[in-house]
Amino acid sequence: MKRNRINALLSSEQPLPSVLIKGWVRTRRDAKTFSFIELNDGSCLANIQVIADDQLDNYDSVKKLSTGSSVCVRGTMHDSPGKGQKWEIHATEVIIINMAPDDYPLQKKRHTDEFLRTISHLRPRTNKYGAAFRIRSRLSYAIHQYFQERGFTYIHTPIITGSDCEGAGELFQVTALDLDNPPRKDEKPGKNQKIDYEADFFARQAYLTVSGQLEAEMFALALSDIYTFGPTFRAENSNTSRHAAEFWMVEPEMAFCDLAEDMDYAQDFIKFLVTDIMENCAQDLDLFARFVDKNLTTTLENITSKEFIRLPYTEAIPLLKNCGKKFAYEVFFGADLQTEHERFLAEEHFKQPVIIYDYPKTIKPFYMRVNDDDKTVAAMDVIVPRIGEIIGGSQREERLDVLESRMDVCGVSKKELWWYLDSRRYGSVPHSGFGLGFERLVMLVTGITNIRDVIPFPRTPGAIEF
Ligand code: 4AD
Ligand code: MG
Protein backbone atom coordinates (compact mmCIF):
# COMPACT_ATOMS: atom_id res chain seq x y z
CA MET A 1 0.00 0.00 0.00
CA LYS A 2 1.21 3.45 -0.92
CA ARG A 3 1.84 6.02 1.79
CA ASN A 4 -0.84 8.71 2.17
CA ARG A 5 0.51 12.23 2.35
CA ILE A 6 -0.86 14.24 5.22
CA ASN A 7 -1.77 17.22 3.03
CA ALA A 8 -3.88 14.97 0.82
CA LEU A 9 -5.60 13.38 3.81
CA LEU A 10 -6.39 16.68 5.47
CA SER A 11 -7.96 18.09 2.33
CA SER A 12 -9.89 14.92 1.54
CA GLU A 13 -13.68 15.28 1.21
CA GLN A 14 -14.41 11.74 2.39
CA PRO A 15 -12.82 9.67 5.16
CA LEU A 16 -10.70 6.82 3.77
CA PRO A 17 -11.39 3.33 5.16
CA SER A 18 -7.68 2.61 5.57
CA VAL A 19 -4.63 4.83 5.58
CA LEU A 20 -0.87 4.43 5.82
CA ILE A 21 1.02 7.48 7.02
CA LYS A 22 4.69 7.99 7.78
CA GLY A 23 6.17 11.00 9.49
CA TRP A 24 7.73 12.57 12.53
CA VAL A 25 6.19 13.08 15.94
CA ARG A 26 5.74 16.76 16.75
CA THR A 27 4.14 16.23 20.16
CA ARG A 28 2.40 13.51 22.08
CA ARG A 29 0.15 13.63 25.12
CA ASP A 30 -1.52 10.89 27.10
CA ALA A 31 -5.10 10.33 28.20
CA LYS A 32 -6.28 7.42 30.34
CA THR A 33 -6.34 4.62 27.80
CA PHE A 34 -4.82 6.24 24.75
CA SER A 35 -2.18 8.59 23.47
CA PHE A 36 -2.62 11.55 21.05
CA ILE A 37 0.22 11.84 18.54
CA GLU A 38 0.59 14.97 16.42
CA LEU A 39 2.24 13.69 13.25
CA ASN A 40 3.84 15.79 10.50
CA ASP A 41 5.37 14.64 7.21
CA GLY A 42 6.36 18.04 5.81
CA SER A 43 3.78 17.89 3.00
CA CYS A 44 1.94 20.77 4.68
CA LEU A 45 2.03 22.95 7.74
CA ALA A 46 -0.69 21.09 9.62
CA ASN A 47 -0.16 17.93 11.63
CA ILE A 48 -2.60 15.07 11.60
CA GLN A 49 -3.77 13.75 14.94
CA VAL A 50 -3.27 10.04 15.50
CA ILE A 51 -5.06 8.30 18.34
CA ALA A 52 -3.21 5.23 19.57
CA ASP A 53 -5.05 3.23 22.23
CA ASP A 54 -3.96 0.65 24.77
CA GLN A 55 -5.14 -2.21 22.53
CA LEU A 56 -1.96 -1.83 20.47
CA ASP A 57 0.61 -4.60 21.09
CA ASN A 58 3.41 -2.09 21.54
CA TYR A 59 1.40 0.51 23.46
CA ASP A 60 4.10 0.70 26.16
CA SER A 61 6.65 1.82 23.55
CA VAL A 62 4.16 4.13 21.83
CA LYS A 63 3.67 5.91 25.14
CA LYS A 64 7.38 6.70 25.16
CA LEU A 65 7.40 8.27 21.66
CA SER A 66 9.36 11.49 21.88
CA THR A 67 9.37 14.67 19.75
CA GLY A 68 11.31 14.09 16.54
CA SER A 69 10.78 10.30 16.47
CA SER A 70 9.78 8.74 13.17
CA VAL A 71 6.85 6.37 12.84
CA CYS A 72 4.71 4.47 10.39
CA VAL A 73 1.00 4.36 11.20
CA ARG A 74 -1.77 2.21 9.76
CA GLY A 75 -5.29 3.14 10.68
CA THR A 76 -8.72 4.41 9.80
CA MET A 77 -9.87 7.96 9.21
CA HIS A 78 -12.67 9.58 11.20
CA ASP A 79 -14.40 12.91 11.77
CA SER A 80 -12.45 14.72 14.43
CA PRO A 81 -14.33 16.15 17.37
CA GLY A 82 -11.26 18.32 18.06
CA LYS A 83 -11.19 22.00 17.07
CA GLY A 84 -9.43 23.12 13.89
CA GLN A 85 -9.14 19.74 12.22
CA LYS A 86 -11.56 17.84 10.06
CA TRP A 87 -10.09 14.35 10.32
CA GLU A 88 -8.17 12.23 12.76
CA ILE A 89 -6.60 8.80 12.48
CA HIS A 90 -7.39 5.85 14.73
CA ALA A 91 -4.26 3.72 14.68
CA THR A 92 -4.50 -0.03 14.19
CA GLU A 93 -0.71 -0.35 14.05
CA VAL A 94 2.14 1.98 15.02
CA ILE A 95 5.61 0.96 13.87
CA ILE A 96 8.40 2.95 15.49
CA ILE A 97 11.06 3.59 12.86
CA ASN A 98 13.39 5.60 15.08
CA MET A 99 13.03 6.79 18.65
CA ALA A 100 14.64 10.26 18.97
CA PRO A 101 16.65 10.68 22.17
CA ASP A 102 15.87 13.45 24.64
CA ASP A 103 18.64 15.71 23.38
CA TYR A 104 16.73 16.32 20.10
CA PRO A 105 17.37 20.06 19.63
CA LEU A 106 13.91 20.94 18.33
CA GLN A 107 11.78 20.43 21.41
CA LYS A 108 8.41 22.16 21.26
CA LYS A 109 9.18 25.78 21.99
CA ARG A 110 10.08 28.81 19.94
CA HIS A 111 13.65 29.00 18.75
CA THR A 112 15.41 32.08 17.45
CA ASP A 113 16.41 32.31 13.79
CA GLU A 114 20.02 32.74 14.94
CA PHE A 115 19.94 29.46 16.85
CA LEU A 116 18.23 27.66 13.99
CA ARG A 117 20.97 28.83 11.61
CA THR A 118 23.43 26.85 13.71
CA ILE A 119 21.35 23.74 12.99
CA SER A 120 20.53 24.40 9.33
CA HIS A 121 20.39 20.64 8.80
CA LEU A 122 17.44 20.31 11.20
CA ARG A 123 15.60 23.62 10.77
CA PRO A 124 13.43 22.47 7.82
CA ARG A 125 11.63 20.35 10.43
CA THR A 126 10.19 23.47 12.09
CA ASN A 127 6.87 24.95 11.01
CA LYS A 128 8.36 28.22 9.84
CA TYR A 129 11.19 26.79 7.76
CA GLY A 130 9.04 24.01 6.33
CA ALA A 131 6.61 26.71 5.18
CA ALA A 132 9.39 28.91 3.77
CA PHE A 133 10.86 26.09 1.70
CA ARG A 134 7.49 24.93 0.41
CA ILE A 135 6.88 28.53 -0.73
CA ARG A 136 10.34 28.63 -2.30
CA SER A 137 9.51 25.47 -4.22
CA ARG A 138 6.17 26.79 -5.41
CA LEU A 139 7.78 30.07 -6.52
CA SER A 140 10.26 28.12 -8.65
CA TYR A 141 7.39 26.29 -10.30
CA ALA A 142 5.46 29.53 -10.86
CA ILE A 143 8.51 31.15 -12.48
CA HIS A 144 8.73 28.38 -15.05
CA GLN A 145 4.97 28.48 -15.52
CA TYR A 146 5.00 32.24 -16.16
CA PHE A 147 7.60 32.05 -18.90
CA GLN A 148 6.55 28.75 -20.44
CA GLU A 149 2.96 29.96 -20.80
CA ARG A 150 4.23 33.05 -22.60
CA GLY A 151 6.38 31.17 -25.10
CA PHE A 152 9.79 31.80 -23.53
CA THR A 153 12.54 29.20 -23.95
CA TYR A 154 14.49 28.09 -20.88
CA ILE A 155 18.26 28.36 -21.41
CA HIS A 156 20.95 26.85 -19.18
CA THR A 157 23.79 29.35 -19.15
CA PRO A 158 27.22 28.22 -17.91
CA ILE A 159 28.18 28.28 -14.24
CA ILE A 160 31.89 28.57 -15.02
CA THR A 161 32.68 31.57 -17.20
CA GLY A 162 35.59 33.67 -18.35
CA SER A 163 33.88 37.07 -18.07
CA ASP A 164 32.72 39.48 -15.37
CA CYS A 165 29.31 40.52 -16.69
CA GLU A 166 28.64 43.17 -14.06
CA GLY A 167 32.20 44.50 -14.01
CA ALA A 168 32.15 44.75 -10.23
CA GLY A 169 35.12 42.42 -9.76
CA GLU A 170 33.24 40.24 -7.26
CA LEU A 171 34.43 37.03 -8.83
CA PHE A 172 35.18 33.66 -7.30
CA GLN A 173 38.05 32.20 -9.24
CA VAL A 174 37.88 28.57 -10.36
CA THR A 175 41.19 26.81 -10.73
CA ALA A 176 42.61 23.32 -10.88
CA LEU A 177 46.14 24.55 -10.17
CA ASP A 178 48.03 23.46 -7.07
CA LEU A 179 47.83 26.70 -5.10
CA ASP A 180 50.80 25.73 -2.93
CA ASN A 181 52.97 25.36 -5.97
CA PRO A 182 51.40 26.98 -9.04
CA PRO A 183 53.20 27.03 -12.38
CA ARG A 184 54.91 30.39 -12.99
CA LYS A 185 55.34 32.41 -16.17
CA ASP A 186 58.83 33.46 -15.33
CA GLU A 187 61.47 30.98 -14.20
CA LYS A 188 63.20 33.57 -12.01
CA PRO A 189 61.61 33.87 -8.57
CA GLY A 190 60.59 37.36 -7.50
CA LYS A 191 57.73 39.80 -7.09
CA ASN A 192 56.89 39.86 -10.80
CA GLN A 193 56.63 36.14 -11.07
CA LYS A 194 53.05 35.74 -12.31
CA ILE A 195 51.02 32.55 -12.22
CA ASP A 196 50.86 30.82 -15.59
CA TYR A 197 47.14 30.36 -16.23
CA GLU A 198 47.83 28.84 -19.60
CA ALA A 199 48.71 25.78 -17.57
CA ASP A 200 45.35 25.90 -15.75
CA PHE A 201 42.38 23.70 -16.68
CA PHE A 202 40.80 26.11 -19.18
CA ALA A 203 44.15 27.52 -20.33
CA ARG A 204 43.09 30.89 -18.91
CA GLN A 205 41.55 32.37 -15.79
CA ALA A 206 38.02 31.17 -15.06
CA TYR A 207 35.35 32.20 -12.56
CA LEU A 208 31.97 31.28 -11.15
CA THR A 209 29.37 33.30 -13.01
CA VAL A 210 27.91 36.47 -11.48
CA SER A 211 25.12 36.54 -14.08
CA GLY A 212 24.04 34.52 -17.11
CA GLN A 213 23.09 37.65 -18.99
CA LEU A 214 25.80 37.89 -21.64
CA GLU A 215 25.23 34.30 -22.73
CA ALA A 216 21.45 34.75 -22.39
CA GLU A 217 21.58 37.68 -24.82
CA MET A 218 23.09 35.41 -27.48
CA PHE A 219 20.07 33.14 -27.21
CA ALA A 220 17.55 36.00 -27.19
CA LEU A 221 19.09 37.13 -30.46
CA ALA A 222 18.25 33.70 -31.87
CA LEU A 223 15.10 32.51 -30.05
CA SER A 224 13.60 35.96 -29.28
CA ASP A 225 12.19 35.36 -25.79
CA ILE A 226 14.27 33.34 -23.36
CA TYR A 227 14.97 33.04 -19.65
CA THR A 228 17.56 31.54 -17.36
CA PHE A 229 17.01 30.41 -13.79
CA GLY A 230 20.05 29.23 -11.92
CA PRO A 231 22.69 29.82 -9.29
CA THR A 232 25.03 32.81 -9.45
CA PHE A 233 27.99 33.68 -7.25
CA ARG A 234 29.39 36.91 -5.93
CA ALA A 235 32.40 37.35 -3.69
CA GLU A 236 30.87 40.50 -2.24
CA ASN A 237 32.35 40.83 1.20
CA SER A 238 29.34 42.69 2.51
CA ASN A 239 27.83 40.90 5.45
CA THR A 240 24.28 42.18 5.02
CA SER A 241 20.92 40.54 5.47
CA ARG A 242 20.27 40.87 1.73
CA HIS A 243 23.46 39.53 0.17
CA ALA A 244 24.55 35.94 -0.22
CA ALA A 245 27.67 34.62 -1.94
CA GLU A 246 25.57 31.99 -3.72
CA PHE A 247 22.10 32.99 -4.83
CA TRP A 248 19.66 32.15 -7.58
CA MET A 249 18.71 34.56 -10.29
CA VAL A 250 15.97 34.56 -12.92
CA GLU A 251 17.07 36.37 -16.05
CA PRO A 252 14.60 36.84 -18.89
CA GLU A 253 15.90 38.40 -22.09
CA MET A 254 13.60 39.64 -24.82
CA ALA A 255 14.52 40.57 -28.38
CA PHE A 256 12.67 43.45 -30.06
CA CYS A 257 11.93 44.88 -26.62
CA ASP A 258 12.65 48.34 -25.22
CA LEU A 259 12.98 49.55 -21.64
CA ALA A 260 9.29 50.45 -21.26
CA GLU A 261 8.27 46.93 -22.23
CA ASP A 262 10.99 45.50 -19.99
CA MET A 263 9.42 47.36 -17.05
CA ASP A 264 5.97 46.06 -18.05
CA TYR A 265 7.32 42.52 -17.90
CA ALA A 266 9.02 43.05 -14.54
CA GLN A 267 5.82 44.36 -12.98
CA ASP A 268 3.61 41.69 -14.53
CA PHE A 269 6.03 38.95 -13.45
CA ILE A 270 6.15 40.00 -9.79
CA LYS A 271 2.37 40.43 -9.65
CA PHE A 272 1.91 36.96 -11.15
CA LEU A 273 4.26 35.32 -8.62
CA VAL A 274 2.73 37.02 -5.59
CA THR A 275 -0.79 36.18 -6.76
CA ASP A 276 0.20 32.56 -7.31
CA ILE A 277 1.53 32.19 -3.76
CA MET A 278 -1.54 33.87 -2.27
CA GLU A 279 -3.72 31.39 -4.12
CA ASN A 280 -1.68 28.23 -3.74
CA CYS A 281 0.20 28.54 -0.44
CA ALA A 282 -2.50 30.17 1.70
CA GLN A 283 -1.88 28.04 4.79
CA ASP A 284 1.89 28.55 4.79
CA LEU A 285 1.49 32.25 4.02
CA ASP A 286 -0.88 32.65 6.96
CA LEU A 287 1.89 31.55 9.32
CA PHE A 288 4.11 34.37 8.07
CA ALA A 289 1.29 36.94 8.20
CA ARG A 290 0.57 36.01 11.83
CA PHE A 291 4.00 35.40 13.31
CA VAL A 292 6.64 37.01 11.09
CA ASP A 293 5.32 40.21 9.51
CA LYS A 294 2.03 41.75 10.62
CA ASN A 295 1.96 43.96 7.50
CA LEU A 296 2.56 41.09 5.10
CA THR A 297 -0.95 40.84 3.72
CA THR A 298 -1.12 44.61 3.09
CA THR A 299 2.29 44.57 1.40
CA LEU A 300 1.31 41.70 -0.87
CA GLU A 301 -2.10 43.16 -1.68
CA ASN A 302 -0.47 46.48 -2.61
CA ILE A 303 1.74 44.58 -5.01
CA THR A 304 -1.06 42.72 -6.73
CA SER A 305 -3.60 45.55 -6.86
CA LYS A 306 -1.62 48.64 -7.85
CA GLU A 307 0.46 49.72 -10.81
CA PHE A 308 4.08 50.09 -9.74
CA ILE A 309 5.28 53.70 -9.50
CA ARG A 310 7.72 54.61 -12.31
CA LEU A 311 10.21 57.26 -11.32
CA PRO A 312 13.17 58.51 -13.39
CA TYR A 313 16.43 58.61 -11.42
CA THR A 314 16.68 62.36 -12.07
CA GLU A 315 13.39 62.84 -10.20
CA ALA A 316 14.29 60.38 -7.41
CA ILE A 317 17.35 62.44 -6.46
CA PRO A 318 15.56 65.75 -5.62
CA LEU A 319 12.77 63.76 -3.94
CA LEU A 320 15.31 62.12 -1.62
CA LYS A 321 17.22 65.35 -1.09
CA ASN A 322 14.13 67.27 -0.03
CA CYS A 323 12.31 64.59 1.94
CA GLY A 324 13.62 65.86 5.26
CA LYS A 325 15.12 62.52 6.25
CA LYS A 326 18.79 62.14 7.22
CA PHE A 327 20.57 59.42 5.28
CA ALA A 328 23.97 57.92 6.01
CA TYR A 329 24.88 58.23 2.31
CA GLU A 330 24.53 61.57 0.55
CA VAL A 331 22.37 61.76 -2.58
CA PHE A 332 23.41 63.64 -5.71
CA PHE A 333 23.26 63.01 -9.46
CA GLY A 334 25.82 60.27 -10.06
CA ALA A 335 25.39 58.60 -6.67
CA ASP A 336 24.30 54.99 -6.59
CA LEU A 337 21.14 54.61 -4.55
CA GLN A 338 21.71 52.76 -1.28
CA THR A 339 19.31 50.39 0.42
CA GLU A 340 18.32 53.18 2.85
CA HIS A 341 17.21 55.36 -0.08
CA GLU A 342 15.42 52.55 -1.83
CA ARG A 343 13.61 51.48 1.31
CA PHE A 344 12.58 55.05 2.07
CA LEU A 345 10.98 55.34 -1.36
CA ALA A 346 9.20 51.98 -1.39
CA GLU A 347 8.40 51.67 2.30
CA GLU A 348 7.74 55.17 3.60
CA HIS A 349 7.13 57.49 0.68
CA PHE A 350 5.16 55.47 -1.87
CA LYS A 351 4.39 52.42 0.32
CA GLN A 352 4.45 50.15 -2.74
CA PRO A 353 6.90 48.92 -5.38
CA VAL A 354 8.71 51.59 -7.37
CA ILE A 355 10.63 51.24 -10.63
CA ILE A 356 13.50 53.70 -10.87
CA TYR A 357 14.88 54.10 -14.38
CA ASP A 358 17.39 55.99 -16.53
CA TYR A 359 20.37 55.88 -14.17
CA PRO A 360 23.63 57.81 -14.75
CA LYS A 361 25.84 55.83 -17.09
CA THR A 362 28.84 56.28 -14.79
CA ILE A 363 27.42 53.88 -12.17
CA LYS A 364 26.14 51.15 -14.50
CA PRO A 365 27.79 48.31 -16.48
CA PHE A 366 29.03 48.59 -20.06
CA TYR A 367 26.17 46.71 -21.72
CA MET A 368 23.34 49.15 -20.90
CA ARG A 369 21.97 51.27 -23.74
CA VAL A 370 23.11 54.90 -23.69
CA ASN A 371 20.20 57.37 -23.79
CA ASP A 372 20.08 60.36 -26.14
CA ASP A 373 21.14 62.72 -23.31
CA ASP A 374 24.48 60.80 -23.27
CA LYS A 375 24.39 61.05 -19.47
CA THR A 376 22.03 58.25 -18.57
CA VAL A 377 21.47 54.65 -19.62
CA ALA A 378 18.21 52.75 -20.17
CA ALA A 379 18.47 50.91 -16.85
CA MET A 380 15.75 50.11 -14.35
CA ASP A 381 15.62 48.75 -10.80
CA VAL A 382 12.47 47.49 -9.16
CA ILE A 383 12.50 48.32 -5.48
CA VAL A 384 10.06 46.93 -2.95
CA PRO A 385 9.19 47.55 0.69
CA ARG A 386 11.40 45.86 3.34
CA ILE A 387 14.01 44.78 0.79
CA GLY A 388 14.97 47.53 -1.60
CA GLU A 389 16.24 46.30 -4.97
CA ILE A 390 14.68 43.03 -6.07
CA ILE A 391 15.17 43.38 -9.85
CA GLY A 392 17.88 45.05 -11.88
CA GLY A 393 17.53 45.27 -15.63
CA SER A 394 18.08 47.33 -18.74
CA GLN A 395 17.74 47.77 -22.45
CA ARG A 396 21.02 46.56 -23.94
CA GLU A 397 23.30 48.61 -26.16
CA GLU A 398 22.63 47.18 -29.63
CA ARG A 399 24.79 49.71 -31.56
CA LEU A 400 28.21 48.21 -32.18
CA ASP A 401 30.15 51.48 -32.20
CA VAL A 402 28.54 52.80 -29.00
CA LEU A 403 29.05 49.45 -27.28
CA GLU A 404 32.72 49.35 -28.23
CA SER A 405 33.35 52.82 -26.88
CA ARG A 406 31.53 51.95 -23.64
CA MET A 407 33.72 48.87 -23.26
CA ASP A 408 36.79 51.04 -23.66
CA VAL A 409 35.58 53.49 -21.03
CA CYS A 410 34.63 50.70 -18.61
CA GLY A 411 37.85 48.77 -19.18
CA VAL A 412 36.10 45.69 -20.58
CA SER A 413 38.22 43.67 -22.99
CA LYS A 414 36.84 43.72 -26.55
CA LYS A 415 39.24 40.93 -27.41
CA GLU A 416 37.86 38.56 -24.79
CA LEU A 417 34.24 39.45 -25.56
CA TRP A 418 34.65 39.12 -29.35
CA TRP A 419 31.72 36.71 -29.42
CA TYR A 420 29.46 39.20 -27.60
CA LEU A 421 30.40 41.90 -30.10
CA ASP A 422 29.58 39.53 -32.96
CA SER A 423 25.92 39.62 -31.90
CA ARG A 424 25.94 43.38 -32.64
CA ARG A 425 27.67 42.82 -35.93
CA TYR A 426 25.21 40.29 -37.32
CA GLY A 427 21.49 41.02 -37.07
CA SER A 428 21.66 43.24 -34.01
CA VAL A 429 18.25 44.31 -32.68
CA PRO A 430 16.97 46.29 -29.69
CA HIS A 431 16.63 43.92 -26.76
CA SER A 432 16.13 44.08 -23.02
CA GLY A 433 16.06 41.92 -19.94
CA PHE A 434 16.37 41.86 -16.20
CA GLY A 435 17.57 39.80 -13.28
CA LEU A 436 15.34 38.96 -10.35
CA GLY A 437 17.08 37.91 -7.13
CA PHE A 438 15.19 34.76 -6.24
CA GLU A 439 16.00 34.82 -2.51
CA ARG A 440 14.84 38.42 -2.28
CA LEU A 441 11.58 37.31 -3.86
CA VAL A 442 11.16 34.63 -1.17
CA MET A 443 11.91 37.30 1.45
CA LEU A 444 9.32 39.62 -0.07
CA VAL A 445 6.62 36.97 -0.09
CA THR A 446 7.27 35.56 3.40
CA GLY A 447 8.32 38.65 5.34
CA ILE A 448 11.56 36.90 6.36
CA THR A 449 14.15 39.62 6.84
CA ASN A 450 17.43 37.72 6.56
CA ILE A 451 18.55 36.09 3.30
CA ARG A 452 20.22 33.34 5.35
CA ASP A 453 16.78 32.11 6.30
CA VAL A 454 15.37 31.60 2.80
CA ILE A 455 18.26 29.48 1.44
CA PRO A 456 18.50 25.83 2.55
CA PHE A 457 22.23 26.07 3.25
CA PRO A 458 23.34 29.71 2.90
CA ARG A 459 26.83 30.74 1.80
CA THR A 460 27.95 34.05 3.27
CA PRO A 461 31.39 35.43 4.21
CA GLY A 462 33.02 33.06 6.68
CA ALA A 463 30.13 30.61 6.71
CA ILE A 464 30.10 27.27 4.87
CA GLU A 465 29.40 24.79 7.65
CA PHE A 466 26.83 22.61 5.94
O1 4AD B 1 21.28 44.09 -10.39
P1 4AD B 1 22.09 42.87 -10.72
O2 4AD B 1 23.52 42.88 -10.37
O3 4AD B 1 21.83 42.63 -12.26
C1 4AD B 1 22.44 41.70 -13.03
O4 4AD B 1 23.18 40.81 -12.64
C2 4AD B 1 22.01 41.75 -14.48
N1 4AD B 1 22.98 41.01 -15.28
C3 4AD B 1 20.63 41.19 -14.61
C4 4AD B 1 20.10 41.24 -16.01
O5 4AD B 1 19.81 42.32 -16.50
N2 4AD B 1 19.96 40.11 -16.65
O6 4AD B 1 21.43 41.60 -9.99
C5 4AD B 1 20.08 41.26 -10.22
C6 4AD B 1 19.37 40.96 -8.92
C7 4AD B 1 19.38 42.12 -7.92
O7 4AD B 1 18.34 43.02 -8.20
C8 4AD B 1 19.16 41.39 -6.62
O8 4AD B 1 17.79 41.09 -6.42
C9 4AD B 1 19.89 40.09 -6.84
O9 4AD B 1 20.04 39.91 -8.23
N3 4AD B 1 21.21 40.09 -6.21
C10 4AD B 1 21.52 39.40 -5.09
N4 4AD B 1 20.77 38.61 -4.32
C11 4AD B 1 21.36 38.05 -3.25
N5 4AD B 1 22.67 38.20 -2.93
C12 4AD B 1 23.46 38.99 -3.69
N6 4AD B 1 24.76 39.12 -3.39
C13 4AD B 1 22.89 39.63 -4.83
N7 4AD B 1 23.37 40.45 -5.79
C14 4AD B 1 22.34 40.71 -6.61
MG1 MG C 1 21.54 45.91 -9.42
Side-chain angles (χ1 to χ4, degrees), residues 2 20 27 31 43 74 154 204 217 307 329 341 348 380 386 408 420 423 443 449:
K2 213 167 168 278
L20 171 65
T27 57
S43 61
R74 279 178 207 281
Y154 180 35
R204 54 168 292 185
E217 281 186 54
E307 291 287 298
Y329 291 85
H341 309 127
E348 294 178 46
M380 62 100 174
R386 260 195 294 105
D408 290 340
Y420 186 75
S423 68
M443 291 167 74
T449 51

Side-chain angles (χ1 to χ4, degrees), residues 3 6 21 50 53 158 178-179 187-188 199 219 229 231 242 281 288 295 297 327 352 397 415-416 423 442 455:
R3 175 169 80 84
I6 291 175
I21 47 180
V50 175
D53 68 24
D178 173 4
L179 293 181
E187 289 297 300
K188 272 192 277 155
F219 275 75
F229 182 16
R242 278 173 292 275
C281 298
F288 292 102
N295 295 321
T297 310
F327 294 113
Q352 65 167 101
E397 184 55 77
K415 199 168 145 244
E416 281 178 16
S423 68
V442 183
I455 307 180

Side-chain angles (χ1 to χ4, degrees), residues 274 278 285 295-304 444-445:
V274 170
M278 290 172 90
L285 207 52
N295 295 321
L296 186 62
T297 310
T298 314
T299 305
L300 298 183
E301 279 169 0
N302 277 342
I303 292 173
T304 56
L444 175 70
V445 169

Side-chain angles (χ1 to χ4, degrees), residues 320-321 323-331 340-341 344 348:
L320 288 165
K321 260 191 178 150
C323 72
K325 204 180 158 90
K326 269 248 158 286
F327 294 113
Y329 291 85
E330 202 195 332
V331 276
E340 57 174 350
H341 309 127
F344 169 78
E348 294 178 46

Side-chain angles (χ1 to χ4, degrees), residues 166 211 213 234 236 244 247 251 389-392 396 435 437:
E166 296 305 298
S211 159
Q213 180 195 318
R234 293 190 188 180
E236 240 166 325
F247 62 101
E251 295 185 278
E389 180 189 339
I390 190 166
I391 280 182
R396 321 306 188 187

Side-chain angles (χ1 to χ4, degrees), residues 191-393:
K191 263 212 297 265
N192 299 326
Q193 206 191 22
K194 293 246 163 54
I195 290 177
D196 181 10
Y197 284 105
E198 275 175 36
D200 202 350
F201 191 89
F202 298 106
R204 54 168 292 185
Q205 273 176 285
Y207 313 96
L208 293 179
T209 186
V210 296
S211 159
Q213 180 195 318
L214 302 185
E215 292 91 350
E217 281 186 54
M218 302 305 105
F219 275 75
L221 293 175
L223 309 181
S224 296
D225 296 321
I226 63 101
Y227 69 107
T228 73
F229 182 16
T232 46
F233 309 85
R234 293 190 188 180
E236 240 166 325
N237 214 348
S238 51
N239 231 325
T240 81
S241 57
R242 278 173 292 275
H243 290 89
E246 176 176 322
F247 62 101
W248 282 59
M249 212 192 321
V250 187
E251 295 185 278
E253 189 72 33
M254 292 78 70
F256 315 105
C257 174
D258 63 11
L259 186 70
E261 209 185 327
D262 198 33
M263 293 194 268
D264 292 343
Y265 265 118
Q267 167 177 317
D268 190 50
F269 183 45
I270 290 182
K271 280 174 181 274
F272 175 90
L273 297 173
V274 170
T275 307
D276 181 274
I277 293 304
M278 290 172 90
E279 282 171 7
N280 294 299
C281 298
Q283 196 183 53
D284 287 329
L285 207 52
D286 182 57
L287 176 147
F288 292 102
R290 285 199 292 154
F291 301 115
V292 176
D293 178 3
K294 294 269 184 265
N295 295 321
L296 186 62
T297 310
T298 314
T299 305
L300 298 183
E301 279 169 0
N302 277 342
I303 292 173
T304 56
S305 65
K306 294 183 187 164
E307 291 287 298
F308 294 4
I309 304 284
R310 294 191 189 187
L311 184 70
Y313 172 93
T314 45
E315 288 176 29
I317 294 301
L319 197 161
L320 288 165
K321 260 191 178 150
N322 304 325
C323 72
K325 204 180 158 90
K326 269 248 158 286
F327 294 113
Y329 291 85
E330 202 195 332
V331 276
F332 53 90
F333 184 91
D336 208 356
L337 295 186
Q338 303 293 325
T339 303
E340 57 174 350
H341 309 127
E342 295 171 342
R343 288 187 63 176
F344 169 78
L345 291 172
E347 222 162 283
E348 294 178 46
H349 190 79
F350 293 110
K351 297 188 169 60
Q352 65 167 101
V354 185
I355 310 183
I356 301 178
Y357 64 97
D358 287 348
Y359 282 82
K361 67 177 181 184
T362 46
I363 54 170
K364 290 292 183 186
F366 74 96
Y367 56 73
M368 295 187 176
R369 192 178 195 280
V370 180
N371 287 324
D372 291 343
D373 61 13
D374 200 34
K375 287 194 183 69
T376 59
V377 285
M380 62 100 174
D381 278 359
V382 180
I383 61 180
V384 292
R386 260 195 294 105
I387 288 157
E389 180 189 339
I390 190 166
I391 280 182

